[in-house]
Amino acid sequence: MQSGFAIVLVFAGTINDLLGYFTVICLLRSVVTFIAVFKLRKMPDYNPTYKMPCWQLMALLAVVPTMILLVSTFVWAPGQSMIAAVVAVGTGYPVYLYFKKQNNITAHTGK
């Protein structure tokens, strides 16, 4: 769905529109990834081969500038940013839930 949406945008939008869409999607993905560190560190089965020193500070140094860029992008291109955010989350989250459900089923059945 996202690829089809991107193809439509290539023919229907301007370079500024595409830049707004792309920037928001990349920044959203980055923020969610950086914030996930806080949740993963609290999990009982979290056992990485390397633990980063000062991980809270490093994660915040990654999250804060990315959030500033994300907010700035929403200010610069509010319409394109909202469309990109809704499409990215609206199509990505259901797929995530589907794969999460499939992994839980296979983990419990041993298949």
Side-chain angles (χ1 to χ4, degrees), residues 3-22:
S3 296
F5 183 62
I7 291 168
V8 169
L9 292 178
V10 167
F11 294 108
T14 65
I15 294 298
N16 282 341
D17 294 339
L18 295 175
L19 184 60
Y21 298 135
F22 177 75

Side-chain angles (χ1 to χ4, degrees), residues 19-40:
L19 184 60
Y21 298 135
F22 177 75
T23 303
V24 167
I25 290 170
C26 288
L27 291 172
L28 276 173
R29 184 195 66 216
S30 296
V31 166
V32 171
T33 302
F34 298 147
I35 291 174
V37 171
F38 293 99
K39 182 176 179 180
L40 292 172

Side-chain angles (χ1 to χ4, degrees), residues 39-48 51:
K39 182 176 179 180
L40 292 172
R41 295 280 298 208
K42 293 179 183 177
M43 296 179 90
D45 59 347
Y46 179 74
N47 191 18
K51 290 190 179 182

